[in-house]
């Protein structure tokens, strides 16, 4: 039926995106301990986003979120309230 077809995002099949995310996660702790089924479930419940250099993605003391960030490419600086880089 029409409801059974995969959704599309910018012409790419959503299931392909989920597979790519799961393939990335399986190579990194703690995700390497999960089954393929669990990885695909996590991948399908998340979202992929792209950010520009210097873009703030989270603010200390901000609203608590129900998710985690996984960085595939690039770096992230963690700053304290004064804007000083925290050594992690």
């Amino acid at each position: 039926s029409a409801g059974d077809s995969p959704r599309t995002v910018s012409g790419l099949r959503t299931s392909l995106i989920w597979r790519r995310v799961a393939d990335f996660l399986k190579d990194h702790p703690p995700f390497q301990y999960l089954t393929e089924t669990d990885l695909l479930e996590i991948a399908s419940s998340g979202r992929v986003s792209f950010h520009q250099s210097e873009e703030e993605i989270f603010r200390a003391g901000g609203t608590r979120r129900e998710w985690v960030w996984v960085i595939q490419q690039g770096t992230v600086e963690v700053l304290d309230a004064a804007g000083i880089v925290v050594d992690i």
Side-chain angles (χ1 to χ4, degrees), residues 7-72:
R7 292 175 284 169
T8 60
V9 177
S10 300
L12 295 176
R13 292 170 64 93
T14 302
S15 58
L16 176 61
I17 294 170
W18 295 343
R19 170 64 58 198
R20 286 182 170 176
V21 170
D23 285 346
F24 169 77
L25 292 176
K26 74 179 181 184
D27 293 331
H28 302 282
F31 304 103
Q32 81 258 26
Y33 301 109
L34 300 176
T35 66
E36 183 175 351
T37 300
D38 289 339
L39 288 167
L40 286 169
E41 183 177 341
I42 289 170
S44 69
S45 66
R47 77 174 194 179
V48 175
S49 59
F50 299 88
H51 298 277
Q52 299 296 315
S53 179
E54 306 295 320
E55 182 179 349
E56 182 178 286
I57 59 173
F58 181 78
R59 180 178 293 270
T63 304
R64 296 190 97 179
R65 304 292 183 195
E66 297 286 325
W67 62 79
V68 299
W69 295 94
V70 176
I71 310 301
Q72 180 181 11

Side-chain angles (χ1 to χ4, degrees), residues 76-81 83-88:
V76 173
E77 290 181 333
V78 178
L79 310 175
D80 66 13
I84 307 297
V85 176
V86 177
D87 187 22
I88 55 173

